[in-house]
Amino acid sequence: MERISWDQYFMAQSHLLALRSTCTRLMVGATIVRDKRIIAGGYNGSVSGGVHCMDEGCYVIDGHCVRTVHAEANALLQCAKFGVPTDNADIYVTHFPCLQCTKQLIQSGIRTVFYAEDYHNHEYAVQLLKEAGVKTVKVKLDYLAVDTNYQQKTSLINNLLGKLESITEDDEEVHAMKKIAERLL
């Protein structure tokens, strides 16, 4: 068996962190790494002790949820809180950083931004990263299956199973598909 690459390993960590997100619009995770060691992680969610979007909905102003602290910022703040330097570290993020997070990553000394998915990649963010000499590398998570949409898929499969139940019990193909779907849940 071949070992998982470092990029796949750290990106998988970011996807796992994203599962802790309390944002209902987009689940994002970030892992800060120096010398192949994780120094911090973060996910997007509300201020500690605050109301969560998943409980009361997003607080959207000008198309952005202002209740949420972004994953990258949470990871950087964790380093600041515990006195861990970020100079010359790398960050693995599930989605391309927004403009504000890009500026924070540059200011904190991050040298490489690894990301899995493009997400409203801001032209100025891309320009700032280039000007600052911060490398960007797209890393598609392909080694492990980390599914951030598992709850929605489970709900959909359950609904489909209910519909199949009402069609017919005599159809062997429908019965076989139903058994497979039930095993996958």
Side-chain angles (χ1 to χ4, degrees), residues 3 18 23 33-34 48 52 59 61 75 79 96 98-99 105 115 123 130 132 137 142 149 156 158-159 161 163-164 179:
R3 290 175 71 189
C23 179
V33 175
R34 188 186 317 96
S48 295
H52 295 287
Y59 182 19
I61 297 176
C79 287
F96 192 87
C98 72
L99 178 57
L105 294 171
Y115 66 100
E123 224 176 275
K130 283 181 187 170
V137 179
D142 59 12
N149 296 314
L156 176 65
N158 282 326
N159 286 339
L161 287 172
K163 298 275 187 213
L164 283 175
K179 289 288 185 200

Side-chain angles (χ1 to χ4, degrees), residues 35-150:
D35 300 323
K36 304 282 187 254
R37 300 288 182 261
I38 296 171
I39 61 173
Y43 53 86
N44 56 331
S46 300
V47 173
S48 295
V51 173
H52 295 287
C53 298
M54 65 189 329
D55 297 328
E56 293 192 15
C58 291
Y59 182 19
V60 179
I61 297 176
D62 295 330
H64 298 283
C65 180
V66 296
R67 179 177 285 146
T68 304
V69 179
H70 289 192
E72 303 92 326
N74 269 325
L76 291 171
L77 291 166
Q78 186 180 66
C79 287
K81 184 175 183 176
F82 295 107
V84 178
T86 55
D87 201 33
N88 291 315
D90 300 319
I91 191 165
Y92 288 78
V93 191
T94 57
H95 296 78
F96 192 87
C98 72
L99 178 57
Q100 294 306 315
C101 287
T102 295
K103 291 189 278 186
Q104 293 168 23
L105 294 171
I106 292 168
Q107 289 298 96
S108 68
I110 294 292
R111 66 179 178 188
T112 307
V113 175
F114 295 91
Y115 66 100
E117 301 291 334
D118 291 299
Y119 184 72
H120 303 298
N121 301 23
H122 197 285
E123 224 176 275
Y124 188 50
V126 173
Q127 178 186 333
L128 286 174
L129 289 164
K130 283 181 187 170
E131 289 173 0
V134 176
K135 283 180 25 182
T136 57
V137 179
K138 190 169 186 177
V139 176
K140 185 73 174 165
L141 181 63
D142 59 12
Y143 190 85
L144 300 172
V146 178
D147 189 355
T148 57
N149 296 314
Y150 71 96

Side-chain angles (χ1 to χ4, degrees), residues 156-171 173-179 181-182 185:
L156 176 65
I157 289 173
N158 282 326
N159 286 339
L160 289 171
L161 287 172
K163 298 275 187 213
L164 283 175
E165 193 70 43
S166 66
I167 294 175
T168 179
E169 280 293 319
D170 298 334
D171 189 324
E173 185 179 13
V174 170
H175 185 68
M177 286 190 291
K178 183 178 172 200
K179 289 288 185 200
E182 287 170 346
L185 289 174

